[in-house]
Amino acid sequence: MGLSIGIVGLPNVGKSSTFNALTRSASAQSANYPFCTIDPNKALVNVPDARLEALAKIVKPEKIQYSSVEFIDIAGLIKGASAGEGLGNQFLAHIRECAVILHVVRCFEDSNVVHVNSAINPLADIETIELELILADVQSLQKRLERLEKLAKSQKDAQVQLQLARALLAHLEEMQPVSTFAHKDHPYFETLNHELRFLSAKKVIYAANVDEEHVRVLNDYALQVQALAKERGARFVSLCAKLEEEMVDMSAQEAQEFLESLGVAQSGLEQIIQLGFQELGLISYFTAGVKEVRAWTIAKGSSAPVAAGVIHKDFEKGFIRAETIAYGDFIAYGGEQGAKEKGALRIEGKDYIVQDGDVMHFRFNV
């Protein structure tokens, strides 16, 4: 889908360990000093979905293909990043390419892992990162204002745009993020945001990185992050990146047993992947055949022809109809034949909006 999630945070908070575990690899170097991640690491991560396994038990395919999400491990930012401190603006540029931010926050004590600010303070750490994003947005908007001021002398549209841009700049200069700007419904705002890709406008998932003993019951640090996320209407998840990285070499069954021994039903990483998928505004529909059971990724609200086009553009161009079974019906009636017999197979046309979990088969003209 060309959408990605950027992992950000101060140095030494567990970003690269989280990335390693997310990708079930050791491709992102973890080291006890700032800026060990020099280039952003990118990886496609399968989205856990128990529905695929349930479909496979009925269809018995040769393979299963999951939906995926791209994660980007971005080097640790520090105070002054917007002015070039640390590794500075190049990493802010990497964040601009992401649709969602996963903000990893250190919520553990460990004298062997230095903290860039010498003390554990999750809310202060969050503020440091978010202020840098706001300051970077101020710089971007100021450059656009210079251009708009020239255009406004001769173009009426530019005068309206200039007025909005000035109001937004005043908002940012009060150290308030674009996401809380009161005039986001202004016709020009969407264009401005699309062109400048404001960092502080992006959706955020806050991830509290805790130690092993606080995986099940959150410590005070993590509770502070959770409360902040709730206040802002953002997503929150807790995890122990160190433990999750250690689980990389375990089989799925071993990992599940290990989680159960900790009193946890689902790993923090699985929650992150699923939340990220949702925050990107994505859903999955399924195709189910003997060759493969597969999840296809589409934007929520996509029509049947658009969904067909994800498989092959010719399917969208020559779309005739979509034979559709709701996931629940497919399972309840034991597959396609059972669903047909119960009248649960529907014929949908070009205007049909695909629902998450639909099991579909497309008819089209070549």
Side-chain angles (χ1 to χ4, degrees), residues 296-310:
W296 298 90
T297 303
I298 57 173
K300 186 175 181 180
S302 294
S303 65
V306 170
V310 174

Side-chain angles (χ1 to χ4, degrees), residues 84-302:
E85 292 295 326
L87 292 173
N89 287 329
Q90 61 177 305
F91 294 109
L92 294 173
H94 293 318
I95 301 172
R96 290 194 193 282
E97 302 302 319
C98 301
V100 173
I101 292 173
L102 174 64
H103 191 157
V104 180
V105 187
R106 180 170 172 173
C107 294
F108 65 88
E109 305 238 10
D110 188 339
S111 59
N112 295 317
V113 181
V114 296
H115 189 286
V116 71
N117 292 330
S118 303
I120 310 300
N121 188 333
L123 298 187
D125 292 353
I126 290 172
E127 182 179 20
T128 295
I129 296 293
E130 295 185 342
L131 284 178
E132 292 305 316
L133 302 186
I134 289 171
L135 290 171
D137 286 342
V138 168
Q139 292 180 8
S140 297
L141 187 55
Q142 285 176 333
K143 292 178 182 177
R144 179 52 57 92
L145 271 168
E146 292 174 4
R147 178 184 169 192
L148 286 173
E149 285 170 350
K150 293 177 181 178
L151 293 173
K153 295 176 181 179
S154 58
Q155 298 180 17
K156 288 186 178 180
D157 287 348
Q159 293 173 11
V160 175
Q161 295 169 5
L162 178 61
Q163 186 177 9
L164 176 76
R166 283 174 172 167
L168 179 54
L169 180 61
H171 177 80
L172 286 167
E173 288 177 336
E174 292 177 356
M175 295 300 105
Q176 297 299 313
V178 173
S179 60
T180 62
F181 184 51
H183 304 293
K184 288 189 292 184
D185 58 345
H186 191 285
Y188 179 57
F189 175 81
E190 186 175 343
T191 300
L192 192 63
N193 188 32
H194 178 73
E195 292 175 352
L196 299 183
R197 293 173 292 179
F198 293 119
L199 301 177
S200 65
K202 297 181 184 296
K203 292 183 178 180
V204 179
I205 301 171
Y206 293 97
N209 185 13
V210 300
D211 52 28
E212 183 175 348
E213 63 181 290
H214 294 107
V215 169
R216 188 164 177 266
V217 180
L218 300 181
N219 59 21
D220 288 341
Y221 296 138
L223 289 172
Q224 292 175 36
V225 178
Q226 184 182 50
L228 180 69
K230 183 177 181 181
E231 177 186 326
R232 295 181 175 181
R235 306 278 194 153
F236 167 84
V237 65
S238 67
L239 77 158
C240 176
K242 182 179 178 181
L243 278 183
E244 304 261 7
E245 191 175 18
E246 291 175 359
M247 291 166 58
V248 166
D249 295 325
M250 297 182 187
S251 67
Q253 183 176 346
E254 289 172 337
Q256 188 59 44
E257 290 174 354
F258 180 66
L259 289 172
E260 289 174 0
S261 72
L262 298 173
V264 178
Q266 186 182 33
S267 77
L269 294 177
E270 288 184 339
Q271 295 177 56
I272 286 172
I273 297 167
Q274 290 170 341
L275 286 176
F277 194 75
Q278 294 167 16
E279 288 297 275
L280 289 170
L282 305 176
I283 63 171
S284 295
Y285 76 87
F286 305 120
T287 52
V290 293
K291 288 291 184 182
E292 70 173 9
V293 165
R294 179 164 183 165
W296 298 90
T297 303
I298 57 173
K300 186 175 181 180
S302 294

